[in-house]
Short mmCIF file of all heavy atoms in Angstrom, two decimals:
data_model
loop_
_atom_site.label_atom_id
_atom_site.label_comp_id
_atom_site.label_asym_id
_atom_site.label_seq_id
_atom_site.Cartn_x
_atom_site.Cartn_y
_atom_site.Cartn_z
N ASP P 115 11.33 1.84 -15.77
CA ASP P 115 11.56 3.34 -15.70
C ASP P 115 10.98 3.89 -14.37
O ASP P 115 11.02 5.10 -14.17
CB ASP P 115 11.01 4.04 -16.87
CG ASP P 115 9.47 3.96 -17.03
OD1 ASP P 115 8.85 3.31 -16.12
OD2 ASP P 115 8.90 4.64 -17.92
N GLY P 116 10.47 2.99 -13.49
CA GLY P 116 9.89 3.44 -12.23
C GLY P 116 8.43 3.73 -12.22
O GLY P 116 7.82 4.06 -11.20
N ASN P 117 7.78 3.59 -13.40
CA ASN P 117 6.33 3.88 -13.43
C ASN P 117 5.58 2.84 -12.69
O ASN P 117 5.80 1.57 -12.88
CB ASN P 117 5.80 3.91 -14.86
CG ASN P 117 4.36 4.32 -14.98
OD1 ASN P 117 3.90 5.27 -14.38
ND2 ASN P 117 3.56 3.53 -15.72
N ILE P 118 4.79 3.24 -11.67
CA ILE P 118 3.96 2.33 -10.92
C ILE P 118 2.55 2.35 -11.56
O ILE P 118 2.01 3.41 -11.80
CB ILE P 118 3.85 2.85 -9.44
CG1 ILE P 118 5.26 2.81 -8.84
CG2 ILE P 118 2.93 1.91 -8.66
CD1 ILE P 118 5.25 3.63 -7.47
N SER P 119 2.06 1.24 -11.89
CA SER P 119 0.74 1.11 -12.62
C SER P 119 -0.21 0.08 -12.09
O SER P 119 0.23 -0.88 -11.38
CB SER P 119 1.01 1.06 -14.12
OG SER P 119 1.65 -0.14 -14.45
N SER P 120 -1.42 0.22 -12.51
CA SER P 120 -2.47 -0.72 -12.10
C SER P 120 -3.41 -0.93 -13.27
O SER P 120 -3.53 0.03 -14.11
CB SER P 120 -3.24 -0.17 -10.85
OG SER P 120 -4.37 -0.93 -10.57
N ARG P 121 -4.11 -1.94 -13.29
CA ARG P 121 -5.23 -2.13 -14.29
C ARG P 121 -6.51 -1.49 -13.78
O ARG P 121 -7.55 -1.44 -14.49
CB ARG P 121 -5.43 -3.52 -14.70
CG ARG P 121 -5.83 -4.46 -13.62
CD ARG P 121 -5.88 -5.92 -14.17
NE ARG P 121 -6.20 -6.79 -13.06
CZ ARG P 121 -7.37 -7.04 -12.58
NH1 ARG P 121 -8.41 -6.43 -13.08
NH2 ARG P 121 -7.58 -7.82 -11.56
N ASP P 122 -6.56 -1.08 -12.53
CA ASP P 122 -7.78 -0.59 -11.86
C ASP P 122 -7.69 0.92 -11.72
O ASP P 122 -6.85 1.46 -10.95
CB ASP P 122 -7.95 -1.30 -10.57
CG ASP P 122 -9.24 -0.89 -9.91
OD1 ASP P 122 -9.43 0.27 -9.58
OD2 ASP P 122 -10.08 -1.85 -9.72
N GLU P 123 -8.48 1.65 -12.39
CA GLU P 123 -8.45 3.11 -12.38
C GLU P 123 -8.77 3.71 -11.02
O GLU P 123 -8.18 4.72 -10.60
CB GLU P 123 -9.38 3.78 -13.38
CG GLU P 123 -10.88 3.50 -13.17
CD GLU P 123 -11.69 4.08 -14.30
OE1 GLU P 123 -12.13 5.21 -14.18
OE2 GLU P 123 -11.98 3.31 -15.22
N ASN P 124 -9.64 3.05 -10.23
CA ASN P 124 -9.91 3.51 -8.87
C ASN P 124 -8.77 3.43 -8.00
O ASN P 124 -8.48 4.33 -7.16
CB ASN P 124 -11.15 2.77 -8.34
CG ASN P 124 -12.39 3.12 -8.99
OD1 ASN P 124 -12.75 4.31 -9.15
ND2 ASN P 124 -13.20 2.15 -9.39
N PHE P 125 -8.07 2.25 -8.04
CA PHE P 125 -6.85 2.02 -7.18
C PHE P 125 -5.79 3.18 -7.61
O PHE P 125 -5.24 3.72 -6.71
CB PHE P 125 -6.36 0.72 -7.44
CG PHE P 125 -5.09 0.35 -6.79
CD1 PHE P 125 -5.03 0.04 -5.40
CD2 PHE P 125 -3.78 0.49 -7.41
CE1 PHE P 125 -3.82 -0.22 -4.70
CE2 PHE P 125 -2.60 0.24 -6.77
CZ PHE P 125 -2.63 -0.06 -5.34
N ALA P 126 -5.59 3.31 -8.88
CA ALA P 126 -4.57 4.32 -9.37
C ALA P 126 -4.94 5.68 -8.87
O ALA P 126 -4.04 6.43 -8.38
CB ALA P 126 -4.52 4.27 -10.90
N GLN P 127 -6.17 6.12 -8.93
CA GLN P 127 -6.58 7.42 -8.49
C GLN P 127 -6.31 7.57 -6.91
O GLN P 127 -5.88 8.57 -6.47
CB GLN P 127 -8.09 7.66 -8.80
CG GLN P 127 -8.56 9.02 -8.43
CD GLN P 127 -10.03 9.17 -8.69
OE1 GLN P 127 -10.78 8.27 -8.81
NE2 GLN P 127 -10.41 10.43 -8.85
N MET P 128 -6.66 6.55 -6.19
CA MET P 128 -6.53 6.53 -4.73
C MET P 128 -5.02 6.64 -4.36
O MET P 128 -4.62 7.49 -3.52
CB MET P 128 -7.10 5.31 -4.15
CG MET P 128 -7.04 5.24 -2.63
SD MET P 128 -8.35 6.33 -1.82
CE MET P 128 -9.85 5.53 -2.20
N VAL P 129 -4.19 5.89 -5.04
CA VAL P 129 -2.73 5.98 -4.79
C VAL P 129 -2.15 7.36 -5.02
O VAL P 129 -1.41 7.97 -4.30
CB VAL P 129 -1.96 4.83 -5.51
CG1 VAL P 129 -0.47 5.08 -5.47
CG2 VAL P 129 -2.31 3.48 -4.96
N ARG P 130 -2.50 7.90 -6.23
CA ARG P 130 -2.09 9.25 -6.59
C ARG P 130 -2.43 10.26 -5.56
O ARG P 130 -1.63 11.04 -5.12
CB ARG P 130 -2.59 9.69 -8.00
CG ARG P 130 -1.86 9.01 -9.19
CD ARG P 130 -2.22 9.64 -10.48
NE ARG P 130 -3.72 9.68 -10.75
CZ ARG P 130 -4.34 8.68 -11.34
NH1 ARG P 130 -3.71 7.65 -11.84
NH2 ARG P 130 -5.65 8.84 -11.54
N GLU P 131 -3.66 10.21 -5.07
CA GLU P 131 -4.15 11.17 -4.09
C GLU P 131 -3.38 10.93 -2.74
O GLU P 131 -3.01 11.94 -2.12
CB GLU P 131 -5.66 11.01 -3.88
CG GLU P 131 -6.26 12.10 -2.92
CD GLU P 131 -6.21 13.56 -3.52
OE1 GLU P 131 -6.20 13.71 -4.70
OE2 GLU P 131 -6.21 14.45 -2.65
N LEU P 132 -3.23 9.69 -2.38
CA LEU P 132 -2.56 9.46 -1.09
C LEU P 132 -1.10 9.88 -1.07
O LEU P 132 -0.60 10.46 -0.09
CB LEU P 132 -2.62 7.92 -0.72
CG LEU P 132 -4.01 7.49 -0.30
CD1 LEU P 132 -4.09 6.04 -0.32
CD2 LEU P 132 -4.27 8.05 1.13
N ILE P 133 -0.38 9.65 -2.16
CA ILE P 133 0.99 10.06 -2.27
C ILE P 133 1.13 11.58 -2.05
O ILE P 133 2.03 12.09 -1.45
CB ILE P 133 1.64 9.65 -3.64
CG1 ILE P 133 1.82 8.13 -3.68
CG2 ILE P 133 2.99 10.31 -3.87
CD1 ILE P 133 2.19 7.55 -5.04
N HIS P 134 0.17 12.30 -2.66
CA HIS P 134 0.08 13.78 -2.53
C HIS P 134 -0.21 14.27 -1.15
O HIS P 134 0.33 15.24 -0.67
CB HIS P 134 -0.92 14.24 -3.55
CG HIS P 134 -1.20 15.72 -3.49
ND1 HIS P 134 -0.23 16.70 -3.87
CD2 HIS P 134 -2.20 16.42 -2.96
CE1 HIS P 134 -0.74 17.87 -3.67
NE2 HIS P 134 -1.92 17.80 -3.14
N ARG P 135 -1.15 13.53 -0.43
CA ARG P 135 -1.70 14.06 0.85
C ARG P 135 -0.92 13.56 2.06
O ARG P 135 -0.87 14.25 3.09
CB ARG P 135 -3.15 13.60 0.98
CG ARG P 135 -4.04 14.21 -0.16
CD ARG P 135 -5.47 14.15 0.29
NE ARG P 135 -5.75 14.85 1.46
CZ ARG P 135 -5.84 16.19 1.57
NH1 ARG P 135 -5.57 16.91 0.60
NH2 ARG P 135 -6.17 16.70 2.79
N ALA P 136 -0.36 12.36 2.08
CA ALA P 136 0.27 11.85 3.23
C ALA P 136 1.64 12.50 3.49
O ALA P 136 2.29 12.88 2.50
CB ALA P 136 0.47 10.33 3.15
N ASP P 137 2.10 12.58 4.69
CA ASP P 137 3.38 13.10 5.00
C ASP P 137 4.47 12.18 4.33
O ASP P 137 5.44 12.76 3.78
CB ASP P 137 3.62 13.18 6.55
CG ASP P 137 2.81 14.21 7.20
OD1 ASP P 137 2.26 15.11 6.52
OD2 ASP P 137 2.71 14.17 8.45
N LYS P 138 4.30 10.91 4.45
CA LYS P 138 5.21 9.99 3.85
C LYS P 138 4.44 8.82 3.26
O LYS P 138 3.37 8.48 3.67
CB LYS P 138 6.14 9.41 4.91
CG LYS P 138 7.05 10.39 5.67
CD LYS P 138 8.21 10.83 4.84
CE LYS P 138 9.07 11.82 5.70
NZ LYS P 138 10.11 12.38 4.87
N SER P 139 4.99 8.22 2.13
CA SER P 139 4.36 7.10 1.49
C SER P 139 5.30 5.88 1.56
O SER P 139 6.48 6.00 1.40
CB SER P 139 4.09 7.52 0.05
OG SER P 139 5.22 7.92 -0.61
N ILE P 140 4.64 4.79 1.70
CA ILE P 140 5.37 3.43 1.71
C ILE P 140 4.80 2.54 0.69
O ILE P 140 3.60 2.30 0.77
CB ILE P 140 5.27 2.77 3.12
CG1 ILE P 140 5.90 3.68 4.17
CG2 ILE P 140 6.01 1.41 3.15
CD1 ILE P 140 5.63 3.14 5.68
#
Side-chain angles (χ1 to χ4, degrees):
D115 66 358
N117 185 47
I118 301 168
S119 59
S120 172
R121 63 184 174 80
D122 186 295
E123 66 185 271
N124 289 313
F125 176 82
Q127 182 182 25
M128 184 74 69
V129 169
R130 283 192 304 270
E131 186 68 25
L132 284 166
I133 291 170
H134 174 72
R135 297 199 60 76
D137 291 345
K138 300 282 183 187
S139 56
I140 301 172

